[in-house]
Amino acid sequence: MPEGPSVKSFQLLTAPFVGQVVAKVGGSSRQRNLKDLKATRLQDSQASGKNLFLAFGAALEAWTMGGSPSPGPVEEEPTIQGKADRGACSLTLAQEGQEEDVAQLSPEEHSVQRKQEMGCSVPDASDAAGDTWKWLRFHFGLYGSIRANEFSRANKANKRGDWKDPVPRLVLHFDSGGFLVFYNCQIHWCTSPAVEPASDILSPKFHRGQALAALRQPTSICYTLLDQRYFSGLGNIIKNEILYLARIHPLSQGSLLALSALESLLDHAVQFSTDWLHKKLVGTMCSHPKTIGTLTGTLSQEPGQSGESFYNCLC
């Protein structure tokens, strides 16, 4: 599935649509409430780890960018009167190349959020504590992606020999004429974005001390790296790459490794993730897939603790 750098690039792809009104909703998703997105305004876009969060509000709701109010209501939209309650949380609109502010929630709202994410329910007015914004959480599958102003086309025939284009899960058409297409993803409502910058490997607020303490646990280093509580956004590709760069065997016990080796591994995790995001934005691929393939090809003969094997890095 897409890892942190890919999801961050998805967020940057959606950022130019912030402030636009949804004119039409399509896609194969069977969630009835997604149709309610019509005539709402995309208010915010945030990424955290492997999740993308989009906020929607009333079309005529006053919203700000950089602290200055936007012009008056859009004439062609229905005259819906609404104004966001600023008491629940403080949010800033996503801007390309910058990290978003974290929503400030009370303990009660955190409890409601956990219940709704587990039950995948739609928040009502009481649960949202007066906040008029509705948030969607997107978690992408193995081939999940987002496209802007274009649809994905089949590049080869399927097993039956048919050339069928991928079916989008959700399509959002905006009043400006542009549209966003979401493929192979799970979509859930939530009260607010579950953003944890301390564990996000792409966040400037990434907590190195917390991550280093996790790496020193008496657990195979490959499993610790995949723990999203400490390394949000880190997946199999990044794990394979940084273990090779640090010259550490995936099944090595973290408690038996030298502190300098763990610090080097942590440096590689942050640096490789940042470089990967940059390369995705400029359209280049991983810089050394053949070398990694040779190393992980050797390791793949040795199964992990749970019986799983290690495979080549496919970027």
Side-chain angles (χ1 to χ4, degrees):
M1 65 181 64
E3 303 182 22
S6 297
V7 176
K8 181 61 179 179
S9 67
F10 295 163
Q11 185 269 323
L12 296 177
L13 197 64
T14 62
F17 293 88
V18 171
Q20 299 186 24
V21 176
V22 179
K24 181 181 178 181
V25 180
S28 63
S29 177
R30 298 182 179 180
Q31 294 191 33
R32 298 179 182 177
N33 301 92
L34 292 180
K35 300 299 181 182
D36 296 339
L37 294 176
K38 184 177 180 181
T40 62
R41 188 187 302 275
L42 178 59
Q43 301 283 7
D44 197 5
S45 173
Q46 298 188 26
S48 178
K50 298 181 180 180
N51 294 305
L52 173 69
F53 299 90
L54 298 182
F56 296 87
L60 301 185
E61 178 181 348
W63 61 288
T64 62
M65 177 178 293
S68 60
S70 63
V74 181
E75 296 180 358
E76 62 271 19
E77 293 299 324
T79 57
I80 303 174
Q81 299 297 327
K83 187 174 182 180
D85 182 7
R86 301 172 185 264
C89 61
S90 177
L91 297 171
T92 59
L93 296 176
Q95 298 181 356
E96 186 170 335
Q98 299 181 358
E99 295 296 331
E100 298 78 7
D101 292 342
V102 182
Q104 303 298 325
L105 298 176
S106 65
E108 292 77 8
E109 289 174 315
H110 274 297
S111 177
V112 172
Q113 173 184 328
R114 295 191 188 97
K115 292 180 181 179
Q116 289 177 341
E117 288 184 342
M118 293 297 294
C120 303
S121 60
V122 180
D124 56 23
S126 59
D127 291 339
D131 189 0
T132 59
W133 286 9
K134 295 182 179 180
W135 289 86
L136 280 181
R137 177 172 65 90
F138 295 83
H139 188 77
F140 298 89
L142 182 60
Y143 299 105
S145 65
I146 295 180
R147 289 179 177 266
N149 302 324
E150 64 175 354
F151 290 94
S152 178
R153 302 301 181 185
N155 53 14
K156 63 179 180 180
N158 57 24
K159 295 181 179 179
R160 297 182 180 180
D162 301 326
W163 287 75
K164 291 186 176 181
D165 295 333
V167 179
R169 185 62 55 86
L170 178 65
V171 183
L172 298 177
H173 298 269
F174 295 92
D175 57 352
S176 63
F179 57 92
L180 288 172
V181 190
F182 301 80
Y183 291 95
N184 193 12
C185 59
Q186 296 179 356
I187 307 173
H188 303 302
W189 292 95
C190 59
T191 57
S192 62
V195 178
E196 294 293 342
S199 61
D200 192 339
I201 56 177
L202 289 173
S203 172
K205 298 180 180 180
F206 178 65
H207 199 302
R208 292 178 58 90
Q210 174 181 285
L212 190 60
L215 291 175
R216 302 185 69 178
Q217 296 176 356
T219 309
S220 295
I221 203 72
C222 62
Y223 297 110
T224 304
L225 288 172
L226 296 178
D227 193 333
Q228 300 300 296
R229 295 175 299 175
Y230 310 109
F231 300 94
S232 180
L234 195 151
N236 284 311
I237 295 178
I238 299 177
K239 177 203 69 177
N240 290 344
E241 297 282 357
I242 64 177
L243 285 174
Y244 169 80
L245 293 172
R247 298 298 191 271
I248 297 178
H249 193 283
L251 297 181
S252 300
Q253 297 290 312
S255 57
L256 301 179
L257 295 174
L259 180 60
S260 59
L262 296 178
E263 290 178 341
S264 175
L265 180 64
L266 193 57
D267 291 337
H268 286 306
V270 175
Q271 187 62 45
F272 182 84
S273 301
T274 304
D275 292 344
W276 189 14
L277 173 60
H278 174 71
K279 291 175 181 178
K280 289 186 72 68
L281 295 181
V282 298
T284 59
M285 299 295 288
C286 178
S287 58
H288 46 273
K290 293 184 179 179
T291 305
I292 301 304
T294 301
L295 175 66
T296 54
T298 301
L299 295 178
S300 64
Q301 299 175 4
E302 184 173 355
Q305 294 178 344
S306 59
E308 64 178 280
S309 298
F310 299 95
Y311 299 96
N312 291 341
C313 168
L314 301 176
C315 298

